[in-house]
Amino acid sequence: MYPLHVFSIIPKLPPALEPLWFLAKNYWFVWNNDIEDLLRDIDPTLWEGSYKNPVWLLNHVSQERYNALAEDAYYINRLGMQVDSLKRYLGVSTPYAFEGVAAGSPAIAYLSLEFGVGLCLPVYSGGLGILAGDHLKSASDLNVPLVGIGLAYLQGYFRQYMTPDGWQQERYPDYDFEQMPMQPATTPSGEPAVVHMDIAGRPLAAKIWEAKVGRISLYLLDTNIAENPEDFRTITARLYGGDLVMRIHQEILLGVGGIKALRILGLDPKVIHMNEGHSAFAGLERVRLFMKENNLSFEVAVELAASGSIFTTHTPVPAGNDRFPAELMQQYFEGYAREMGLAFKVFLGLGREDPRNDAEDFCMTVLALKLSRFNNGVSALHGKVSRKMWHKIWEQFPVDDVPIGSVTNGTHAPTWVAPEMGRLYDRYLGATWREDLDCRRIWKMADNIPDMEIWRTHERLRGRLVDFVRRRLRAQLQDQGCRNKDLQAVEGVLNPEVLTVGFARRFATYKRARLILQDLDSLTRVVTDKSRPVQFVFAGKAHPQDNGGKQLMKEIISRCREPEFRMSMVFIEDYDMEIASYLIAGCDVWLNNPRRPLEACGTSGMKAMFNGVLQFSTLDGWWDEAWKPDNSLGWAIGKGEDYDDTEYQDQVELQTLYKVLESEIITDFYERDRSNLPVSWVKRMKAALVEFGPRFHSHRMVQEYMNSAYIPACNNLNSLYKDNFAPARELSEWRMNVMTKWGRLKVTDVETSKENTLYVGDSLNVSAVAYLADLPPEHVGLEIYLGPLGQDNSFVTRRLIHMQPEGAIVDGKQKYSGKINAVEAGRYGFTVRAVPVHPLLPSAYSLGLVRWAE
């Protein structure tokens, strides 16, 4: 029997409470504690059970409770204050002006396969998505004209639960977007916004949802609509679910569909930011549109698309980058290539490090690198690793010249600072610390926080963590059908007075979650020490297909259950943003021990830092550029050594880990003054806030993207638009001319003004002659490539000195000259090289052309 009609019955908000909907439909509540408190106070039990979802909450509160709240004058007054606060926040106009972009219109589209905005928007799996969410939040606080583009997953990422023997299992609940802080997007004419596109000759439709993240709109594409066949409806079923076919479907939808969605919504951002290679097809679609709508050649369209594109890579190992076999690409893109006028082999070359290698798979990261003029890794070390990893694309250049820079990630402090710590910052950093653009001035004031106040606040957060762990552990054991005796024992798990170490992250094997367990004698010693004990809290997820990661997790859980460890070591299942918020605020030490250099950045430690938690990590990712050798800001495992033998690396770093833990960290924590204050420890906490607060805030990160990528990309693109794309056509023709003639260019006759020995303060004049091969001298840049030398005569580092043309061209030859200033003593060398230059070319290295002196 089925009903004839389906309808919903929901409570009716009294008029005085209607403004709650205004607050509920903007994710600003995620980083506004006052609004979250207002929502929680409606019904604390429902709030926690809803995954902090205000829309679901408002639809499930009893009518009696609403009627009572409507009579509560204090609550109504609080509601009015928060509504006014959000209106003021939304009413601020953007301070940034992008040429050619109308006021109030987005200038940048940020595309990502996942976004971690809030607990009740489960379209994220881990660090990549949380970073994307923090990017949107800082863009909102800074009022950057940006929109986000992603996918709306019916089942999100999996929810984790453990079997009684500790093996990870996955469950996939269906989410109801109608019950979440998002609404169907509409076109400028008010119609429902739906993307229509073609995948392998079959029509696909995607509904567009809009989530408001402060001042930023996040648009999410959803294929689970009746218009689609069943296999297409599942494209947005799960994040990182399915096989290669599912992955290419999702990435076509994100990249190609994302660009189409912007058009349907009436948006025309000049710049796109591709967050990881998943979104690289967006660059292709921009090329296709430039060709189709402006009657441009492929070469001209590439110059335009790449000039307005930013690409951020997050993966430091080749295997972590999406690759598709040529046969699969042909199935989905042969017609697409034909429409662009490209032979399919040429098309495949866009995604190959070596376009001539027919056996090479199509790599999304390679495609993104080739279709962007602004490429970056997510830490200084990761930028270096990325330049080495993708050197083959620019193989004629030294690794240091590969055009991949770095913008170190940051984390959105207002989201991740615990409310108790936030109130402390309100008093001593000023009430505007959440939005103030001058991060250095704000966080410098952390030194003014009284030692006792910051320590007592931190102790309360540790106690809150212990209470939370006990509640979650009790629920886990109940779900597994444990005995009452075991449930009662949970009340003694962890001690709110004991040094607490947190380890929570994705359980990839390179992160070495069980490293600390490999020395059982030392582990037992530190955990069972009566006078100076240590306790550990673990959490994290393994990819459903990563049995190695699941085995690591099983071993940790098994160890946590052993009699000598069960009261001092726990694993909390179903790691998410809520669990993270307790851990990063309540632990004393954040442990991170990946194999260097496999951690691209690692922002969980930054989140902990903003709560006064100290770092203990291998020198990888962000910690490689943050740590100081005097340990004044936290501790390192090793000194940044690189190993070929991973077993030996584990052995050495395990010994170092316990040595530092026992001789420095434990000693420092338990060394107290007469008022029981760990003076040295608190000094480190405050010093880290002063030093790291400005450097690792996502406000700094977004501002850096603005200054080094977004604004330059927009300006560069505008310069190519002029006079019906005449500069773009000129640049394309110039590029083809240079590519054709470059092989005949030569650099010879390098001469110097002095002998082999210089004194500090001396200068050395250098001249060289370039045979230009019919290229104008203003388009050939000669550089002195200078640097200190290692024992094998290779350059340790390099410095470039631009040379100037001298005199007239004679027989096709141009003389250039430059000067080296001897600044520091040492053994140096230099050579000379030529690179192509053009005022419209953002980087001399993007063409991959260089000619070294003979």
Side-chain angles (χ1 to χ4, degrees), residues 663-838:
S663 65
E664 297 189 44
I665 297 176
I666 294 174
T667 299
D668 209 51
F669 181 84
Y670 284 107
E671 192 173 88
R672 308 294 175 96
D673 66 5
R674 294 176 61 184
S675 59
N676 199 33
L677 182 71
V679 177
S680 177
W681 190 278
V682 172
K683 183 179 179 181
R684 281 190 174 90
M685 291 170 64
K686 291 166 60 176
L689 290 172
V690 171
E691 175 74 20
F692 296 154
R695 291 175 59 191
F696 300 108
H697 199 302
S698 53
H699 285 12
R700 185 275 312 157
M701 176 188 71
V702 171
Q703 286 174 317
E704 193 169 339
Y705 277 116
M706 283 287 293
N707 296 329
S708 67
Y710 295 164
I711 292 175
C714 186
N715 292 342
N716 198 48
L717 190 60
N718 283 328
S719 69
L720 298 178
Y721 271 41
K722 294 176 181 177
D723 301 325
N724 192 29
F725 305 103
R729 298 177 201 271
E730 175 198 329
L731 181 59
S732 176
E733 291 172 4
W734 170 84
R735 178 183 181 130
M736 296 303 294
N737 184 46
V738 169
M739 298 286 283
T740 302
K741 296 177 179 178
W742 194 259
R744 296 190 287 117
L745 186 143
K746 294 181 180 180
V747 179
T748 61
D749 301 318
V750 177
E751 297 179 352
T752 61
S753 59
K754 293 188 179 181
E755 298 299 326
N756 296 335
T757 301
L758 279 73
Y759 295 100
V760 172
D762 284 352
S763 61
L764 182 68
N765 294 320
V766 178
S767 64
V769 174
Y771 172 69
L772 297 177
D774 296 326
L775 293 170
E778 63 269 23
H779 290 165
V780 177
L782 258 65
E783 300 170 331
I784 301 172
Y785 191 97
L786 165 74
L789 302 178
Q791 291 184 348
D792 62 352
N793 273 356
S794 64
F795 288 97
V796 177
T797 59
R798 64 102 166 103
R799 182 162 59 95
L800 301 176
I801 301 171
H802 184 66
M803 302 180 74
Q804 299 291 338
E806 279 189 357
I809 299 174
V810 179
D811 297 330
K813 296 179 181 180
Q814 174 70 59
K815 185 176 180 180
Y816 291 78
S817 65
K819 183 167 69 173
I820 297 172
N821 293 317
V823 178
E824 294 182 352
R827 183 168 170 267
Y828 288 80
F830 79 89
T831 185
V832 175
R833 68 181 185 185
V835 293
V837 292
H838 192 283

Side-chain angles (χ1 to χ4, degrees), residues 405-573:
S406 64
V407 176
T408 301
N409 283 344
T411 195
H412 187 248
T415 294
W416 298 105
V417 167
E420 295 88 339
M421 194 65 76
R423 286 190 285 271
L424 188 68
Y425 295 163
D426 287 340
R427 291 200 298 275
Y428 294 101
L429 275 62
T432 63
W433 68 269
R434 292 171 177 83
E435 293 179 51
D436 199 305
L437 303 186
D438 190 354
C439 286
R440 187 158 296 281
R441 179 186 63 82
I442 287 294
W443 291 100
K444 185 178 181 180
M445 291 189 288
D447 200 41
N448 297 331
I449 303 174
D451 291 359
M452 189 61 75
E453 282 201 56
I454 194 171
W455 181 246
R456 294 300 178 228
T457 301
H458 177 68
E459 287 193 309
R460 287 194 296 273
L461 291 172
R462 191 192 310 117
R464 188 187 72 150
L465 169 64
V466 170
D467 183 62
F468 173 77
V469 167
R470 290 172 179 174
R471 293 199 313 270
R472 292 298 291 257
L473 194 57
R474 189 183 305 112
Q476 289 174 204
L477 294 175
Q478 286 175 332
D479 289 344
Q480 294 171 5
C482 288
R483 300 172 302 172
N484 286 335
K485 180 180 179 182
D486 294 325
L487 293 176
Q488 292 171 0
V490 168
E491 297 306 318
V493 169
L494 301 186
N495 183 334
E497 305 296 326
V498 166
L499 172 62
T500 304
V501 178
F503 184 99
R505 54 192 33 86
R506 183 166 54 91
F507 266 66
T509 51
Y510 78 85
K511 293 179 182 284
R512 298 189 296 181
R514 65 183 177 93
L515 180 65
I516 201 164
L517 309 182
Q518 291 178 263
D519 182 351
L520 282 182
D521 290 340
S522 296
L523 180 64
T524 304
R525 184 170 60 249
V526 300
V527 165
T528 59
D529 189 312
K530 298 296 184 183
S531 60
R532 303 191 312 172
V534 181
Q535 57 194 13
F536 296 88
V537 183
F538 297 91
K541 292 179 176 180
H543 188 279
Q545 298 174 5
D546 182 8
N547 287 330
K550 290 183 178 182
Q551 183 61 37
L552 288 178
M553 207 177 303
K554 185 175 184 296
E555 291 177 25
I556 289 174
I557 292 172
S558 176
R559 192 68 67 196
C560 290
R561 292 173 176 173
E562 293 179 359
E564 61 266 47
F565 301 125
R566 62 195 306 259
M567 306 306 284
S568 301
M569 291 173 53
V570 294
F571 180 94
I572 303 301
E573 67 182 37

Side-chain angles (χ1 to χ4, degrees), residues 373 394 397 401 403 734 742 779 781 783 800 833-838 841-850:
R373 295 290 179 259
W394 296 274
F397 283 100
D401 290 337
W734 170 84
W742 194 259
H779 290 165
E783 300 170 331
L800 301 176
R833 68 181 185 185
V835 293
V837 292
H838 192 283
L841 194 67
S843 169
Y845 310 139
S846 60
L847 301 189
L849 298 177
V850 65

